[in-house]
Amino acid sequence: MGPMGTREHLKALGLALGLLIGAGAAHAAPNKCGCTLNESNNSCTCSKSAKCGCPGECEPKGCEQKREAARKKELDAETKKAADADRKQKATTASQTKTTGGKSGKGDGAGDNGKVETPPMGRKLSAAETKQLAKLLDSYLKAHPDARSKNAEELRNELSLTPR
């Protein structure tokens, strides 16, 4: 029974080794976030020291929510910045209108000094304001996909009639 027993032991050892290797193939190595994807059941297992930073990969719970909150915070900051810039611009436009509004004594007395003032709504947006507008539109259209079929005037009318 000596040689036959050794063969059976080797077969059992090979089978155990094969199972270990096969089980190892189902678990990938941890990613840079400290999480491992189990490919056999598509589940994610993270260590206690796991961190966010692997979008689209295996990550700890709550990472997508943290990213969304950061995006919202950035959007709010840019909205505030654009509103502040708009207020400043309106204030300087108003002060310029007051200083140039009187008669200068030159020209035909029309009081416009040959300048054609554009209405505040018709001014060109700065690059930062344009970027902010694009982000706001993207956020709105993401939340209201049915609005994609409407033109800008229809959306503006709808939004101005909507109570806030």
Side-chain angles (χ1 to χ4, degrees), residues 9 15 21-22 31-32 50 56 60 63 85 93 98 101 120 126 144 150 155:
H9 287 285
L15 180 62
I21 291 173
N31 61 12
K32 69 178 184 176
C63 289
T93 302
K98 287 180 184 176
S126 69
H144 304 88
K150 298 177 183 174
L155 279 175

Side-chain angles (χ1 to χ4, degrees), residues 125-146:
L125 296 176
S126 69
E129 291 170 328
T130 303
K131 182 179 177 183
Q132 182 62 34
L133 177 61
K135 286 186 176 185
L136 288 169
L137 285 171
D138 287 343
S139 294
Y140 181 81
L141 292 174
K142 187 175 182 181
H144 304 88
D146 57 312

